[in-house]
Amino acid sequence: METLIDRLKDHLNRAIIGQPDLTHELLVALIANGHVLLEGPPGIAKTTAAKALANAIDGHFQRIQFTPDLLPGDVTGSDIYQQETGQFSFIPGPIMNDIVLADEINRAPAKVQSALLEAMGEKQVTVGNNSYALPALFFVIATQNPIEQEGTYPLPEAQLDRFIMKINLGYPSAESELEVLRLVRQQDLHKTQQSKPQPLCKADDILDLQQKALALYMSESVEHYIVQLVMATRHPERYLDDATTNSNLIEFGASPRATLALDRCARANALLNGRDFVTPDDVRQIALPVLRHRVITSFEAQASGLSTDDLLSRLISHVPAL
């Protein structure tokens, strides 16, 4: 019998050709009840991925195109004076939806990013003297382009830490790109006959999956393994004993929020893999996207040509599972 998870995987893999890691990690972040940051060059299906996921869930979806002239009220909503009543009433903004696509998030100024930070961290928005709760299923998919830096506002570390995962995307293979070409051509030929796809589940079904993931069994040894992985980002010299570790390669390691994120994502990963318990492999499989945006490498590491992913991959391979 095909499960809801199987149907979601199949739907995303048909919509996003040649990106199986992206579809899997999107579902991990969703079931882990976090938010995800997609980074990659233009035209590699970042927005398509967000729309495909939104189409699979019977909920409210909204895309916000971030620009330098955007105001916090354009995102959160604002109090509007009603002439008929002589009072102000709150008009909800696009953030008040189940799934929100924050397109090119690094083009938004600091005030807008602060408003989004509260929404992601507290699941509420504050307008004037009042706070308004966001939907129970509130999932932000943010995208950014690493190529263009002009006219952008780099996300501060506090904002990055609110994302449970950061997924780096590259170009598809030649075979996958050929499949994309043919698929899009067929869609364009039959555009007039296409209808909006029927959703596969409701928001409550996703909330139920989130609770099931939290209830999975995790042994004490796996808990210790998660903590040791995070500790390794703060003290890499304890795990890497070669000559390149004579200097401090990591300036700031991952925060305790990373430990919580690893726990939730490992549970979601185990659920997606069809198990009712968590293994060290579940942790290893998602450790890189969970940790890569929470670690700041030192000048020595950058001068040696070591990227954050390079260092983390080495640490993950050296930290033993108990």
Side-chain angles (χ1 to χ4, degrees):
M1 180 179 175
E2 192 179 34
T3 65
L4 171 58
I5 288 177
D6 292 330
R7 295 198 302 272
L8 286 171
K9 286 180 180 178
D10 183 62
H11 168 79
L12 290 179
N13 285 326
R14 281 189 283 107
I16 312 160
I17 305 298
Q19 298 277 13
D21 291 341
L22 167 61
T23 59
H24 182 84
E25 289 167 1
L26 266 180
L27 289 175
V28 167
L30 178 66
I31 295 174
N33 194 19
H35 309 287
V36 66
L37 176 63
L38 305 182
E39 181 174 285
I44 57 170
K46 298 189 295 295
T47 304
T48 301
K51 289 181 177 178
L53 184 60
N55 287 335
I57 301 170
D58 187 13
H60 297 287
F61 169 73
Q62 184 66 52
R63 172 182 175 175
I64 308 173
Q65 184 65 51
F66 280 67
T67 57
D69 59 348
L70 204 66
L71 298 174
D74 297 330
V75 175
T76 62
S78 56
D79 289 327
I80 303 296
Y81 181 74
Q82 303 293 336
Q83 192 170 5
E84 300 82 5
T85 62
Q87 296 179 335
F88 286 90
S89 62
F90 175 66
I91 306 299
I95 199 72
M96 309 287 285
N97 285 277
D98 297 301
I99 299 179
V100 176
L101 170 61
D103 219 355
E104 296 189 277
I105 188 175
N106 56 332
R107 292 195 178 278
K111 286 185 177 181
V112 176
Q113 291 181 4
S114 296
L116 189 63
L117 176 64
E118 181 194 9
M120 292 169 58
E122 308 299 331
K123 283 205 169 183
Q124 67 175 27
V125 296
T126 300
V127 177
N129 296 323
N130 299 312
S131 295
Y132 303 92
L134 292 165
L137 177 65
F138 175 62
F139 184 50
V140 174
I141 304 173
T143 71
Q144 66 178 15
N145 176 1
I147 299 174
E148 296 181 55
Q149 299 302 324
E150 187 176 350
T152 62
Y153 302 82
L155 296 177
E157 281 67 30
Q159 179 80 28
L160 285 172
D161 206 28
R162 297 290 181 181
F163 290 100
I164 202 167
M165 301 176 83
K166 180 187 177 186
I167 304 173
N168 289 346
L169 300 176
Y171 291 111
S173 65
E175 294 79 8
S176 297
E177 196 149 344
L178 181 60
E179 194 174 346
V180 170
L181 184 151
R182 291 168 177 168
L183 176 65
V184 172
R185 182 193 301 140
Q186 287 299 315
Q187 289 175 342
D188 289 343
L189 282 172
H190 301 94
K191 186 170 290 185
T192 57
Q193 303 172 13
Q194 290 177 2
S195 58
K196 186 177 180 181
Q198 291 297 314
L200 302 176
C201 64
K202 297 183 180 296
D204 287 344
D205 296 322
I206 302 299
L207 297 176
D208 183 55
L209 288 177
Q210 292 174 354
Q211 291 301 311
K212 286 181 179 178
L214 286 175
L216 292 189
Y217 173 74
M218 178 184 287
S219 67
E220 190 174 337
S221 62
V222 176
E223 291 177 338
H224 282 291
Y225 179 53
I226 288 173
V227 172
Q228 288 306 310
L229 275 177
V230 175
M231 289 296 172
T233 67
R234 302 173 195 169
H235 305 286
E237 70 281 352
R238 298 178 183 175
Y239 299 88
L240 303 177
D241 55 3
D242 54 66
T244 60
T245 59
N246 290 337
S247 57
N248 186 18
L249 296 178
I250 296 180
E251 190 170 348
F252 291 101
S255 71
R257 188 179 281 124
T259 307
L260 303 178
L262 264 178
D263 173 75
R264 283 181 171 269
C265 289
R267 292 173 181 275
N269 194 49
L271 187 68
L272 285 169
N273 289 332
R275 279 182 277 99
D276 59 0
F277 60 93
V278 185
T279 69
D281 284 337
D282 290 313
V283 181
R284 273 190 288 266
Q285 188 176 353
I286 50 80
L288 193 58
V290 170
L291 295 174
R292 63 163 52 107
H293 57 297
R294 307 175 194 270
V295 170
I296 301 176
T297 57
S298 66
F299 173 77
E300 288 86 350
Q302 297 170 27
S304 301
L306 292 172
S307 68
T308 304
D309 280 16
D310 292 335
L311 278 172
L312 286 174
S313 295
R314 290 172 56 193
L315 284 174
I316 292 167
S317 65
H318 280 74
V319 176
L322 301 177

